[in-house]
């Protein structure tokens, strides 16, 4: 059992810039087909 | 209470925090519950359009798809550029089945296209009504002479934005009148301030924004009110540079219409962000009974 305070829970965060880059890559892939 | 999704966009989280703060505060007072879209991303504004048409449509649609996931049917966005991009993208997808399919492939999920996109001005004038706003205003602007500047993105193209006259818009002027200010007729309401050239060619910005500021002074305006963070930044932030270039003192405060609305709703001046502008509105607001 984990001791209280030993592990910090990191809230799930999304990086907006990463999300935009992902969409850019998808667009590039689709447009190159 | 009217519940809607809220898309602040990048400017309202950075250079236009006072627009974000004043809209959040005034909307609550007006009975609107804003729910910020979780994990929203940049709408692409002008930069995506010059990169790829599909990208420029996919970015706004990705945000609108998130609104659909929230189970809401309306999104409010105060930035005129975001408002324009969300509306244009939504309309293009509705009219072009192949584009819709491509966008869905990029997003990796279906896109319903059923979300209504509104600007705060539209909500205030059409949904709430100026008479209601006038009744709620505890304080008045006491004849403050105001030039309402709409810029080029808020009311054009009229087929898409469709809430005010594209040549001589009236919504902000009517709001000013309802709040006890004097809405001035002037010729530069919808001229471009040069926002897209703000970093790449500031000479153009100086020229275009300079003409707008001069036009407002000729109309004897004591301040300009705006509904776009890009316009505000150009007219306020670049004003010193424009003064230098033309050798003329302008000293014209550039306020968001939500800030003036907040003042009349008796809200805290600091919370509204009125002390954050480059050209201080303190003198003109003191004249009509507001202290900063």
């Amino acid at each position: 059992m984990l001791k209280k305070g030993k592990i910090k829970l990191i809230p799930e965060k999304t990086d907006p810039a990463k999300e935009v880059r992902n969409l850019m890559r998808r667009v590039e892939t689709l447009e190159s087909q | 209470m009217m519940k809607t999704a809220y898309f602040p966009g990048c400017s309202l989280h950075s250079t236009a925090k006072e627009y974000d703060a004043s809209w959040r505060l005034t909307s609550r007072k007006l009975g609107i519950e804003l729910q910020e879209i979780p994990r929203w991303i940049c709408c692409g504004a002008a930069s995506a359009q010059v990169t790829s048409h599909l990208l420029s449509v996919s970015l706004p649609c990705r945000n609108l798809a998130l609104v659909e996931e929230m189970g809401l049917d309306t999104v409010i966005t105060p930035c005129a550029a975001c408002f324009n991009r969300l509306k244009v993208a939504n309309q293009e997808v509705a009219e072009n089945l192949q584009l819709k399919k491509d966008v869905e492939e990029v997003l990796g999920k279906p896109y319903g296209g059923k979300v209504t996109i509104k600007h705060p001005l539209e909500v205030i004038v059409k949904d709430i009504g100026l008479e209601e706003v006038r009744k709620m205003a505890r304080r008045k602007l006491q004849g403050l002479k105001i030039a309402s500047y709409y810029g080029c993105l808020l009311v054009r193209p009229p087929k898409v934005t469709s809430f005010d006259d594209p040549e001589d818009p009236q919504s902000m002027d009517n709001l000013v009148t309802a709040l006890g200010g004097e809405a001035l007729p002037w010729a530069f309401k919808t001229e471009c301030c040069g926002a897209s050239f703000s970093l790449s060619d500031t000479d153009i910005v100086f020229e275009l924004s300079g003409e707008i500021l001069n036009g407002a002074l000729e109309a004897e305006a004591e301040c300009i009110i705006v509904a776009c963070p890009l316009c505000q930044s150009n007219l306020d932030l670049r004003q010193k540079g424009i003064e230098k270039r033309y050798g003329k003192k302008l000293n014209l405060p550039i306020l968001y219409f939500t800030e003036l609305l907040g003042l009349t709703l008796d809200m805290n001046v600091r919370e509204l962000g009125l002390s954050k502008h480059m050209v201080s509105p303190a003198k003109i607001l003191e004249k009509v009974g507001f202290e900063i």
Side-chain angles (χ1 to χ4, degrees), chain A residues 12 14-17 19-20 23-24 26-27 30-31 33, chain B residues 39-41 52 54-55 58-59 62 102 105-108:
Chain A
E12 191 190 335
T14 48
D15 177 357
E19 181 75 24
V20 171
L23 291 178
M24 283 172 75
R26 281 167 176 263
V27 166
L30 192 67
E31 283 179 337
Q33 282 169 3
Chain B
R39 295 175 291 114
W40 62 265
I41 55 169
S52 150
L54 180 57
L55 181 66
S58 299
L59 294 173
R62 192 268 189 188
D102 290 346
E105 192 159 340
V106 172
L107 301 184

Side-chain angles (χ1 to χ4, degrees), chain B residues 79-146:
Chain B
C79 170
C82 298
F83 170 73
N84 190 292
R85 282 313 307 155
L86 294 185
K87 290 276 266 194
V88 169
N90 201 37
Q91 177 132 340
E92 283 192 9
V93 167
E95 290 172 351
N96 184 337
L97 193 61
Q98 185 55 51
L99 181 62
K100 183 174 186 284
K101 280 182 187 167
D102 290 346
V103 166
E104 286 179 335
E105 192 159 340
V106 172
L107 301 184
K109 55 184 164 189
Y111 174 66
K114 302 282 184 223
V115 174
T116 304
I117 302 122
K118 290 186 177 181
H119 189 272
L121 258 184
E122 186 180 3
V123 176
I124 290 168
V125 174
K126 286 193 172 171
D127 298 343
I128 297 167
L130 290 174
E131 186 50 32
E132 191 58 29
V133 176
R134 194 184 61 78
K135 278 190 221 159
M136 290 174 82
R138 288 206 209 151
R139 302 180 69 180
K140 298 288 175 189
L141 296 174
Q142 298 181 46
L144 185 67
K145 291 180 178 178
I146 300 169

